[in-house]
C-alpha cells in the first residue's frame, strides 16, 4: 500500500509540473466562464451551475470518461517535460463518419428544436471524452462501431450502483447496467432517448448516427438554450454529473470551435487517461484494447481484463545462503486489502407499487397545455413513501401529445414524500384518449397508467365578415365568398373545425336538395362541407357558391364545436331589368 501511495505521489508531482507550465497558454483558449486551476485543468467559475442529480439521472450513469485535454495553442504542442499522457500531441482530427454523424444531428435539431441552438462541436466534445470519437472512428459504412464499446459494470464498487434495467440486451449484463456505445448511454436512458439517426428503421446505441442524434435530443430537453452558458453547463452536467467532466467537455468544445478537420475512419488517435485511473495508451483507433470491457478495465493493447493481483502469501523462513552470496532484502509487508462491502438495498429496491398522487381523468383542448400535472407516488409494501426513486413517464397511444420540449418520455425523481410530478403535458391536434404510463427505473414493478383525453378545439361565437345576405341569379355564381371569424372568450379561435351546410330553412336543419351549392373536386354539386378549419387569426373563407335554376331564399348554416352558429341568407332571383329611359316621365317632351 505504501509503495502504491508513493507511486501515486510521484505521478501527481510530475503531472502537476507539466500542468503548471501549461496554465498560461491554456487560459488564452478557455471556454466562457472557465478558468484554469493549479493542475492546468479547466474549472468553472464559483457561480457556475452545479447538479445534485443521481447517477441514474445522467445519460451515462456517471461512468468513467477520458480526461485528456486538447493540445495547447503553441507552435510546439507536445509537452517537453512530464508524462506523455498529460497532454497529447496536436489533435489529429475527427473521423469522417463520426464527424458526419455530429453534423447531421445538428441539422436535425436545428429543424426540430431550433431554440436549443445545439452546435455539432458539443457532440464532438462529448464524443471525445466518452469514447475517443468511437475509438478513433472504428465504424462500418453505416456508422456502427466495429465491436461494442461497453463501460465497466455499475455495481457500486468504485462506480455508481445501477442494477440491470435492460435484461442485458444492450450491455450483455443481466445483473448491473453498463454504459454502451460511442456516446456511452446507460440502458435506462437509452430506453427513452433512443433515436434512429441513419434511417435504417432501428435505434442502436452502438451506431454513431443514432447515438449522436439521441445525445442531441438529450442535451436539448428541458427547453435548454445551449447558447446560454448556464443552460449549456446544466446540459453537460446532466450528461455526467461531475465538475471535472464539465471542464473537460468545455475545453474540447472550445478547441473544436476553433477548427478541426476530417480524417479517414479508423485513423483517429485514442486518449490515454480515464477518470477511473485507468489508461489505455495513445495510438491508432484500431486497437481492440481501446474499449472498456464489461468486466472491468482492459489492459492497454489487449482485449483482456487486467490480471488480478495474487493473494498475499506469508513469507517463508530465510534459507541459509552460500558463502559469497547475499540474501535478498526482505520485502516490507503489504497492508491487506479491506474486504469489499456488500451494498445495502437502494431506495429503488424497496419500491413495491406505484399509486396515483394527483388528479384523474385529465382533459385538455387540442393545442392547449393540460392545467393539471400527472403525479405518481412510490410506496413500499406497507404503504410508506420512497424518496429518491426514478420514475419514467411515457406517453403511450395514438396521440401527438407530448411533455414540455416535445419529448414523449420524461424521467423524474420522487421527493421526500415519494411523489414524482411529470413535466407539463401539452395536447397535440389529434383528439381522443391516450395514456401516460409511469414505471420505476431499475425495478420491475407494475406500471401505473394515467388516462388523459384531448378534445377538439371549440369556438363560442362566429362573426360574419361578409354581408349576411348574398344574391345570385339562377344558374349563376355568387359574387362574394362567405367569410367568418371564430372567437372563444372574445379571442380569435384558431384551428377550429367548421361545418358548412345548405339547410332547408332556419327551422329545418336538413340538408337542402336544391338551390345554392358548392362544387367538389369533380365539379359535382355538394351542399355540406366538412374538414374546414379557421386560420391563426380565427378566419375562414369558404369556397365559391353557385346557384341552380331554382329561385328562392335559402340558408347557409355554419357550425363549430362548442356550439357557435352563424346563418347566412342566400337569395336566388332574376335580376331586375334596367329601367327604359323612354318610359321615364322626366324625359317625356312637353305638350
Amino acid at each position: 500500500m505504501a509503495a502504491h501511495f508513493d507511486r501515486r505521489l510521484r505521478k501527481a508531482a510530475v503531472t502537476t509540473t507539466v500542468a503548471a507550465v501549461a496554465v498560461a497558454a491554456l487560459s488564452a483558449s478557455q471556454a466562457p466562464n472557465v478558468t484554469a486551476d493549479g493542475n492546468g485543468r479547466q474549472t468553472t467559475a464559483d457561480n457556475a451551475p452545479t447538479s445534485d442529480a443521481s447517477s441514474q439521472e445522467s445519460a451515462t450513469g456517471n461512468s468513467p470518461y477520458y480526461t485528456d485535454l486538447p493540445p495547447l495553442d503553441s507552435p510546439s504542442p507536445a509537452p517537453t517535460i512530464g508524462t506523455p499522457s498529460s497532454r497529447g500531441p496536436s489533435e489529429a482530427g475527427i473521423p469522417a463518419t463520426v464527424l458526419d454523424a455530429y453534423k447531421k444531428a445538428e441539422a436535425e435539431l436545428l429543424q426540430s428544436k431550433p431554440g436549443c441552438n445545439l452546435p455539432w462541436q458539443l457532440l464532438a466534445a462529448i464524443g471525445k471524452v466518452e469514447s475517443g470519437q468511437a475509438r478513433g472512428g472504428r465504424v462500418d459504412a453505416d456508422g456502427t462501431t466495429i465491436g461494442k464499446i461497453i463501460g465497466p459494470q455499475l455495481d457500486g464498487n468504485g462506480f455508481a450502483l445501477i442494477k440491470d434495467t435492460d435484461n442485458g440486451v444492450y450491455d450483455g449484463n443481466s445483473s448491473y447496467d453498463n454504459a454502451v456505445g460511442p456516446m456511452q448511454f446507460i440502458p435506462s436512458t437509452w430506453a427513452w432517448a433512443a433515436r434512429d439517426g441513419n434511417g435504417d428503421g432501428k435505434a442502436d446505441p452502438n451506431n454513431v448516427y443514432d447515438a449522436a442524434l439521441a445525445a442531441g435530443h438529450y442535451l436539448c430537453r428541458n427547453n435548454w438554450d445551449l447558447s446560454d452558458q448556464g443552460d449549456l453547463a446544466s446540459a453537460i452536467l446532466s450528461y455526467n454529473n461531475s465538475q471535472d467532466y464539465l471542464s473537460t467537455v468545455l475545453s474540447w468544445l472550445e478547441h473544436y470551435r476553433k477548427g478541426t478537420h476530417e480524417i479517414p475512419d479508423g485513423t483517429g488517435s485514442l486518449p490515454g487517461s480515464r477518470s477511473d485511473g485507468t489508461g489505455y495508451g495513445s495510438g491508432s483507433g484500431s486497437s481492440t484494447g481501446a474499449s472498456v470491457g464489461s468486466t472491468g478495465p482492459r489492459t492497454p493493447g489487449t482485449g483482456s481484463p487486467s490480471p488480478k493481483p495474487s493473494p498475499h502469501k506469508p513469507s517463508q523462513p530465510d534459507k541459509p545462503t552460500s558463502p559469497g552470496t547475499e540474501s535478498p532484502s526482505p520485502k516490507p509487508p503489504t497492508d491487506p486489502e479491506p474486504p469489499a462491502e456488500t451494498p445495502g438495498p437502494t431506495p429503488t429496491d424497496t419500491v413495491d407499487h406505484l399509486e396515483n398522487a394527483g388528479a384523474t381523468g385529465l382533459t385538455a383542448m387540442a393545442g392547449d397545455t393540460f392545467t393539471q400535472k400527472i403525479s405518481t407516488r412510490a410506496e413500499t409494501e406497507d404503504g410508506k413513501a420512497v424518496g429518491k426513486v426514478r420514475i419514467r413517464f411515457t406517453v403511450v397511444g395514438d396521440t401527438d401529445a407530448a411533455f414540455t420540449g416535445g419529448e414523449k418520455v420524461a424521467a423524474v425523481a420522487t421527493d421526500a414524500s415519494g411523489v414524482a410530478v411529470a413535466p407539463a403535458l401539452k395536447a397535440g391536434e389529434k383528439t381522443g384518449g391516450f395514456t401516460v404510463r409511469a414505471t420505476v427505473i431499475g425495478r420491475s414493478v407494475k406500471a401505473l397508467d394515467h388516462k388523459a383525453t384531448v378534445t377538439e378545439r371549440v369556438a363560442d361565437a362566429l362573426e360574419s365578415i361578409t354581408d349576411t345576405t348574398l344574391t345570385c341569379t339562377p344558374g349563376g355564381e355568387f359574387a362574394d365568398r362567405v367569410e367568418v371569424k371564430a372567437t372563444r372568450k372574445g379571442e380569435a379561435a384558431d384551428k377550429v373545425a367548421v361545418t358548412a351546410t345548405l339547410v332547408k330553412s332556419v327551422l329545418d336543419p336538413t340538408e337542402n336538395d336544391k338551390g345554392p351549392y358548392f362544387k367538389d373536386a369533380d365539379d359535382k354539386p355538394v351542399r355540406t362541407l366538412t374538414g374546414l378549419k379557421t386560420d391563426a387569426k380565427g378566419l375562414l373563407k369558404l369556397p365559391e357558391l353557385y346557384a341552380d335554376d331554382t329561385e328562392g331564399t335559402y340558408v347557409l348554416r355554419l357550425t363549430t364545436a362548442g356550439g357557435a352558429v352563424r346563418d347566412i341568407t342566400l337569395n336566388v332571383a332574376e335580376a331586375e331589368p334596367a329601367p327604359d329611359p323612354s318610359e321615364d316621365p322626366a324625359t317625356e317632351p312637353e305638350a
Side-chain angles (χ1 to χ4, degrees):
M1 181 67 73
H4 176 69
F5 184 65
D6 288 341
R7 287 195 298 272
R8 290 179 61 186
L9 283 177
R10 287 195 296 272
K11 180 180 179 180
V14 173
T15 304
T16 301
T17 302
V18 175
V21 174
V23 168
L26 175 62
S27 62
S29 61
Q30 289 160 357
N33 295 334
V34 175
T35 59
D37 64 14
N39 293 323
R41 291 186 56 80
Q42 291 189 8
T43 60
T44 53
D46 292 339
N47 60 351
T50 59
S51 173
D52 57 0
S54 70
S55 57
Q56 291 192 4
E57 295 179 68
S58 71
T60 68
N62 297 338
S63 291
Y65 56 92
Y66 288 113
T67 58
D68 295 41
L69 294 171
L72 297 173
D73 293 332
S74 165
S76 180
T80 57
I81 60 174
T83 60
S85 62
S86 58
R87 273 191 186 274
S90 58
E91 174 65 9
I94 301 176
T97 300
V98 179
L99 180 59
D100 185 56
Y102 296 149
K103 291 186 175 181
K104 276 186 167 58
E106 178 195 52
E108 196 278 340
L109 266 299
L110 182 63
Q111 295 296 320
S112 61
K113 296 183 179 179
C116 177
N117 295 304
L118 172 79
W120 68 260
Q121 292 91 340
L122 176 58
L123 296 176
I126 290 176
K128 181 71 174 181
V129 301
E130 291 295 347
S131 67
Q133 310 298 20
R135 296 182 300 191
R138 293 187 66 242
V139 296
D140 63 19
D142 295 325
T144 302
T145 59
I146 301 172
K148 294 183 177 180
I149 304 175
I150 301 178
Q153 68 177 13
L154 302 174
D155 57 5
N157 293 319
F159 307 108
L161 174 60
I162 304 179
K163 293 188 176 181
D164 176 62
T165 61
D166 67 329
N167 200 28
V169 170
Y170 294 115
D171 53 18
N173 188 343
S174 58
S175 297
Y176 300 95
D177 271 351
N178 306 61
V180 179
M183 302 304 277
Q184 289 289 275
F185 280 100
I186 54 175
S188 60
T189 303
W190 183 257
W192 63 267
R195 294 293 191 281
D196 176 16
N198 62 350
D200 63 357
K202 61 181 181 180
D204 180 4
N206 300 293
N207 182 279
V208 70
Y209 287 100
D210 297 355
L213 184 57
H217 277 278
Y218 183 91
L219 294 164
C220 285
R221 72 196 194 288
N222 297 333
N223 285 333
W224 280 326
D225 176 2
L226 301 184
S227 65
D228 176 84
Q229 292 302 315
D231 283 359
L232 174 64
S234 295
I236 296 172
L237 284 170
S238 77
Y239 209 90
N240 192 312
N241 186 22
S242 162
Q243 288 293 327
D244 284 341
Y245 182 87
L246 172 62
S247 301
T248 305
V249 170
L250 288 175
S251 297
W252 282 106
L253 170 60
E254 185 69 9
H255 177 78
Y256 287 134
R257 276 176 167 163
K258 291 180 178 178
T260 187
H261 60 284
E262 177 185 301
I263 61 173
D265 290 343
T267 64
S269 60
L270 193 67
S273 300
R274 289 177 66 86
S275 59
D276 58 356
T278 61
Y280 302 96
S282 300
S284 170
S286 62
S287 169
T288 59
S291 68
V292 181
S294 60
T295 58
R298 297 177 186 258
T299 305
T302 73
S304 305
S306 303
K308 295 181 179 180
S310 302
H312 175 68
K313 296 181 179 180
S315 57
Q316 300 295 325
D318 292 340
K319 296 181 179 180
T321 57
S322 303
T325 62
E326 297 181 359
S327 300
S329 301
K331 295 181 179 179
T334 58
D335 296 331
E337 293 290 338
E341 295 182 4
T342 302
T346 65
T348 302
D349 295 331
T350 66
V351 178
D352 177 75
H353 59 273
L354 297 175
E355 293 287 347
N356 183 23
T360 58
L362 282 74
T363 302
M365 190 176 69
D368 284 357
T369 298
F370 284 79
T371 56
Q372 295 174 307
K373 293 183 178 180
I374 293 171
S375 57
T376 297
R377 176 182 161 96
E379 296 183 354
T380 62
E381 186 175 5
D382 55 2
K384 292 182 179 179
V386 185
K388 298 183 179 179
V389 173
R390 297 287 291 162
I391 304 297
R392 180 184 295 120
F393 295 97
T394 307
V395 178
V396 180
D398 184 17
T399 180
D400 53 356
F403 294 116
T404 302
E407 299 292 347
K408 292 282 189 177
V409 181
V412 182
T414 58
D415 58 18
S417 62
V419 175
V421 180
L425 187 66
K426 184 174 182 179
E429 294 304 318
K430 287 186 178 180
T431 59
F434 65 95
T435 298
V436 176
R437 181 162 297 156
T439 56
V440 179
I441 297 176
R443 184 166 174 80
S444 297
V445 173
K446 183 180 179 181
L448 177 64
D449 286 348
H450 301 264
K451 300 299 182 181
T453 303
V454 177
T455 60
E456 61 182 329
R457 293 174 181 260
V458 299
D460 53 29
L462 274 175
E463 173 189 354
S464 179
I465 304 300
T466 52
D467 292 337
T468 56
T469 301
L470 303 178
T471 302
C472 178
T473 58
E477 177 180 345
F478 286 85
D480 296 321
R481 291 169 58 183
V482 174
E483 186 174 9
V484 294
K485 180 177 182 178
T487 58
R488 181 173 61 253
K489 296 180 180 180
E491 300 292 334
D494 64 325
K495 299 181 182 179
V496 173
V498 178
T499 299
T501 305
L502 289 150
V503 299
K504 289 187 175 181
S505 71
V506 173
L507 300 177
D508 185 357
T510 307
E511 180 183 287
N512 211 335
D513 56 359
K514 59 184 178 181
Y517 61 89
F518 299 103
K519 288 183 179 181
D520 64 12
D522 297 324
D523 285 339
K524 294 180 179 180
V526 292
R527 291 185 168 87
T528 298
L529 294 180
T530 59
L532 305 171
K533 286 191 176 183
T534 60
D535 62 16
K537 297 180 179 180
L539 299 174
L540 172 65
K541 181 177 284 189
L542 271 63
E544 291 82 356
L545 268 168
Y546 304 88
D548 62 14
D549 294 333
T550 308
E551 295 187 72
T553 299
Y554 301 91
V555 177
L556 171 64
R557 175 162 293 173
L558 296 105
T559 59
T560 72
V565 179
R566 171 62 62 178
D567 286 343
I568 306 293
T569 302
L570 304 175
N571 288 327
V572 179
E574 291 287 352
E576 294 186 7
D580 186 347
S582 63
E583 298 179 0
D584 187 349
T587 61
E588 292 182 3
E590 294 182 1

